[in-house]
Amino acid sequence: MIEAFAPGRVNLIGEHTDYAGGLALPMAIDLGTTVRGTSGGDVVRLVSADEPDPTTVPLDVADPASARPDWARYVAGVVAELRPTTGFEGSITTTLPLGSGLSSSAALELAVALALGFEGPPADLAALGQRAEQIASGVPCGIMDQLASACGRSGHALLVDFADGSVQPVPVPPEVDVWVVHSGQERRLAGSAYAERRAATERATTQIGPLGSATLADVHRIADPVVRRRARHVVTECARVRSFAAAIAAGDVATAGLLMDESHQSLRDDFEVSTDALDALCERLRSESGVLGARLTGAGFGGCAVALVAHSTPLPTDVRGWVVRASDGARRR
Ligand code: GLA
């Protein structure tokens, strides 16, 4: 019996910076996806505990995006990228809420790749998962989700510099907990709006160079007001990631919380990926005693908020939320 597990991730700070060569600070969480089964045969056949229909993917699958049911596109994307020579028969279970911005698709891709025999360093596993995600979904996503799931370290967030792919574990201070709370809104329009945001940052990059190392003075040279605002988000967000990492290393969790609030404002006003439900949820969380800061997490357009809270603050009983812990990355067990 083969068993592979891959965690979801929550991003503490640094949103929409990965594909722009900037910085982010995600962590793998203790919710994730498990694939169990045996290898053999010449197809990958999987049943999911959360979905009514199984999937059968041929090893020579030609068009992963047309695999059915919908979730099978991610399995087919992995098969197309990995090209295993032996099939697999097994089942998928997950403790992640699906389609909520906690990277359930990245966890599925990485768990399937490991179950199908992927061998190699975590960075290569992440790159394979990212390619599978792009082919399966048609969304030009960055690599943050897969990298966080592949490289997770118990008790640590990961300071990722997407300019060179470096990943530096940063201890999460014991005096804080991390909450993930669902806005009640499934993500909407994520694909086309995501591609549009990415294109705007690419236009900015052609004008002022890589946004990970650009300054606000560079941003002011951008003539188009929308492109300028998108670039301003990325440049200020990278500065906030640096300040956040320094603040938690110094035990200054109050400053870290304020930086999360500022990140949300920038995502709302400059990058325009928040929603009324996410804004209201973050406001509400900030009004709870013990909450140090709150922001949307993931691509936006719905899904979840993340909050940094004083250790052992009780999660409000009237929200759909989770107290998540920083966990190890994807692995075969
Ligand atoms: C999604 C993408 C990531 C990243 C975030 C926004 O989760 O998959 O690559 O761009 O949105 O930070």
Side-chain angles (χ1 to χ4, degrees), residues 42-46 54-59 61 67-69 71-72 75-76:
D42 55 6
V43 295
V44 173
R45 186 173 164 77
L46 287 167
T55 188
T56 303
V57 178
L59 297 183
V61 57
R68 290 293 172 268
W71 60 271
V75 176

Side-chain angles (χ1 to χ4, degrees), residues 9 11 14-19 103 141-145 194 298-299:
R9 67 94 188 91
N11 188 16
E15 220 65 81
H16 288 280
T17 52
D18 59 349
Y19 51 77
S103 298
C141 66
I143 199 171
M144 172 174 69
D145 306 344
Y194 185 96

